[in-house]
Amino acid sequence: MLLKLRAGEKLYINGAVIKVERKATIELLNDATFLLEAHVLQPEDANTPLRQLYFVLQTQLMEREASSRTLRLFGEMSAATREALGGGLVADGLIGADALVEAGRIFEAMKTLRGLFALEAELMKDKTSANAA
């Protein structure tokens, strides 16, 4: 797998942080767990239920020693979020993310969650509007 990085960009690979000074291409010759800087959510940005779930999975990828605890936390939080939602597209997406996590496909689960952020924002906006009325 080829990863193209811009100057100053960070790459998180198997828990290590790599920063390149110049534009670089890195070829991974075996399986590795990695995140590009653009996919990393900062703690202060984990301010909605789905973003918090994403942050938990991100932690799973970046800190392998927390593995069983973070996966258990993800399962508990996901179930609580689905229950609070009571169904709909976001809840359906969470079921898909849960299945990916169960299959060990953490990055793909994170991608699924990122795809739900806009729907979550709409739900939260609708809820805020309803509460204001």
Side-chain angles (χ1 to χ4, degrees):
M1 167 170 287
L2 286 176
L3 302 172
K4 296 180 188 280
L5 303 172
R6 296 181 304 267
E9 192 171 14
K10 293 178 187 170
L11 171 67
Y12 301 82
I13 187 163
N14 288 347
V17 181
I18 299 165
K19 183 177 179 183
V20 296
E21 289 183 20
R22 299 182 266 290
K23 184 177 173 181
T25 300
I26 297 174
E27 183 175 9
L28 300 178
L29 300 175
N30 62 352
D31 288 336
T33 302
F34 71 92
L35 284 174
L36 297 172
E37 185 173 11
H39 295 146
V40 175
L41 188 67
Q42 297 302 313
E44 61 271 10
D45 295 327
N47 53 11
T48 69
L50 292 186
R51 289 175 183 269
Q52 290 168 357
L53 286 167
Y54 183 95
F55 190 81
V56 169
L57 292 181
Q58 171 183 295
T59 301
Q60 167 67 23
L61 285 182
M62 295 171 93
E63 299 178 20
R64 287 302 211 186
E65 66 278 353
S67 176
S68 63
R69 289 187 309 248
T70 53
L71 289 180
R72 187 171 54 250
L73 178 62
F74 175 83
E76 292 167 1
M77 290 174 63
S78 180
T81 302
R82 282 193 322 275
E83 185 177 322
L85 291 170
L89 292 175
V90 175
D92 291 346
L94 279 174
I95 291 169
D98 289 347
L100 289 167
V101 169
E102 285 292 318
R105 296 165 53 191
I106 305 297
F107 185 80
E108 291 174 51
M110 291 172 64
K111 186 176 177 181
T112 298
L113 290 174
R114 270 195 318 270
L116 296 172
F117 287 170
L119 288 172
E120 179 189 41
E122 282 297 315
L123 281 175
M124 293 178 83
K125 187 172 87 173
D126 292 346
K127 217 169 219 188
T128 303
S129 297
N131 288 340

